[in-house]
Amino acid sequence: MKHVVGWISSLLLLVTFGSQTYRQWKGDEGESEKYTLIFFVAAIAGTAGNFIYSLLVNNWVFTALNAALVVNNAAGLWITVRNRKQARRAEAVGGDLAPRP
């Protein structure tokens, strides 16, 4: 059972990183913000699963690595959400200051 957690988490990460790379390669810039949010949520889920798996098999190297990746992806998610909020605020302020016809 514990290996199933590792395989599912690894597959999730491969799909997540692969799809993000493909979108960047295609240049879907208009969609990038949406995908970035989805990317970080899936990356956190995948690395958290790999963290649990590493603990279950007593592999301390990968436990440390996956713990660091969870923190890194959580920081990326926080930055993405913060940047979106700041962009919305800037739009709201800019919209109020726009000249009226």
Side-chain angles (χ1 to χ4, degrees):
M1 176 63 183
K2 60 186 171 185
H3 295 293
V4 172
V5 173
W7 282 111
I8 290 172
S9 299
S10 295
L11 257 166
L12 181 60
L13 284 175
L14 284 173
V15 169
T16 302
F17 290 130
S19 64
Q20 182 72 10
T21 301
Y22 178 73
R23 284 186 186 94
Q24 288 174 335
W25 174 67
K26 275 183 56 180
D28 292 342
E29 297 193 18
E31 298 288 315
S32 65
E33 286 185 27
K34 178 177 77 170
Y35 292 124
T36 300
L37 186 61
I38 294 168
F39 169 79
F40 282 118
V41 170
I44 289 168
T47 53
N50 277 334
F51 172 75
I52 292 167
Y53 173 72
S54 299
L55 284 173
L56 292 171
V57 297
N58 293 319
N59 188 324
W60 299 111
V61 172
F62 286 107
T63 298
L65 171 64
N66 287 303
L69 288 173
V70 169
V71 170
N72 179 69
N73 290 323
L77 178 62
W78 178 79
I79 291 167
T80 299
V81 170
R82 184 196 65 184
N83 288 348
R84 284 182 175 199
K85 286 181 181 178
Q86 288 176 346
R88 282 190 205 119
R89 286 185 193 136
E91 275 183 17
V93 170
D96 291 341
L97 298 177
R100 304 211 186 256

